[in-house]
Amino acid sequence: MQLRWPAWLSRLAPAALSLPSQCGACRAWPCRDVLCQSCWQRFHHTPRRCTGCALALPGIAAERPRCGQCLQHPPPWVQAHAWCDYSYPWQTLITHWKLGQQPGLARHLAGWMQQTPDIAQAVAQAELLLPIPLSSERLRTRGYNPAAQLVQHLGAARHKQLLAALVRTRDTPTQRGLTRAQRLRNLRQAFAVPQAHLAVIAGRHILLVDDVMTTGATFASASQCLLHAGAGSVSVLCLARTA
């Protein structure tokens, strides 16, 4: 079940974020956006990234670069995209968004993502945008799915989102501190495509969206589930990539 914020709160959050406030990094006042212009220019970088794991590859100028690990062990998706590294100040903003009950930040984060040409192209080329789903238990605790928020903002203009086409079959233990192999075991058979949505994904190119990518285990498990269910191909997109 997708929990929804009351209508009045959904209208209030974007309006509140448009009022003058402090910069989320340097705390300068007044600031009309989440970050002041000075901090944006200081911290916003768009490095060339591996198209397999989305890690930054400084100095690589190839059109579709792949790191050695991804060349030896290709992931199940066609291409991976990340907007930023999981570092300051983005890490702080993501924590406020996910754990600090600030759902209105999603509009700003998704807007920044759409300004990146590679990400805008990935969204435009996808036939379906799907978020990594939360379990019903985690959704009740948090109140909203950050990945679903990104999909709603990224795909709102094109109506490409179908939030229920991929579901969690069980509540998995936290992934924090686990190795990639442990995460993959933890996520075994954790995703499913409901029978009613098999025809929707059949043969489609799907863009899977999540907030943070750490080892890629969650994306791998979800991608394999979609491919086994008949999807034509999968690409993945995250807001932030850990080092």
Side-chain angles (χ1 to χ4, degrees):
M1 178 182 67
Q2 177 72 43
L3 298 184
R4 298 183 180 275
W5 288 93
W8 65 269
L9 185 57
S10 298
R11 292 192 297 269
L12 177 61
L17 282 171
S18 67
L19 296 174
S21 61
Q22 286 184 305
C23 170
C26 71
R27 312 309 295 171
W29 175 278
C31 178
R32 284 283 180 180
D33 205 339
V34 177
L35 293 182
C36 68
Q37 189 63 30
S38 177
C39 285
W40 174 264
Q41 293 175 351
R42 177 183 176 187
F43 294 112
H44 179 237
H45 307 288
T46 54
R48 179 76 67 173
R49 295 182 179 276
C50 172
T51 57
C53 63
L55 286 172
L57 297 174
I60 301 298
E63 184 65 27
R64 292 172 61 88
R66 289 254 165 151
C67 68
Q69 180 68 20
C70 289
L71 287 173
Q72 292 182 8
H73 306 285
W77 51 79
V78 176
Q79 194 160 4
H81 305 271
W83 181 73
C84 69
D85 290 330
Y86 190 64
S87 58
Y88 183 83
W90 318 115
Q91 180 179 358
T92 301
L93 294 177
I94 291 169
T95 299
H96 290 329
W97 170 42
K98 293 177 60 176
L99 305 178
Q101 293 297 305
Q102 296 187 29
L105 282 171
R107 178 173 65 91
H108 291 259
L109 298 169
W112 291 339
M113 294 172 74
Q114 287 175 311
Q115 294 174 24
T116 302
D118 287 350
I119 292 178
Q121 183 180 29
V123 172
Q125 291 177 342
E127 296 179 274
L128 197 64
L129 303 184
L130 292 180
I132 293 293
L134 292 180
S135 67
S136 56
E137 291 84 355
R138 191 73 57 84
L139 191 57
R140 280 194 296 269
T141 299
R142 182 170 291 168
Y144 55 95
N145 180 358
Q149 282 195 306
L150 290 179
V151 164
Q152 288 171 328
H153 287 291
L154 290 170
R158 301 176 64 88
H159 303 286
K160 288 188 173 184
Q161 65 270 25
L162 186 66
L163 303 186
L166 181 69
V167 299
R168 286 257 187 178
T169 58
R170 56 188 175 84
D171 185 32
T172 55
T174 180
Q175 301 273 71
R176 293 188 184 92
L178 299 183
T179 65
R180 176 177 169 80
Q182 291 170 330
R183 287 172 181 245
L184 287 170
R185 286 195 296 271
N186 190 35
L187 290 164
R188 191 169 296 156
Q189 296 182 333
F191 299 101
V193 176
Q195 187 73 26
H197 295 301
L198 289 176
V200 175
I201 72 164
R204 298 285 189 90
H205 174 58
I206 296 173
L207 183 63
L208 264 179
V209 180
D210 205 0
D211 44 44
V212 179
M213 179 179 179
T214 303
T215 66
T218 299
F219 273 139
S221 181
S223 296
Q224 289 165 349
C225 171
L226 289 168
L227 292 170
H228 290 161
S233 58
V234 176
S235 287
V236 301
L237 167 64
C238 63
L239 170 65
R241 180 63 161 97
T242 62

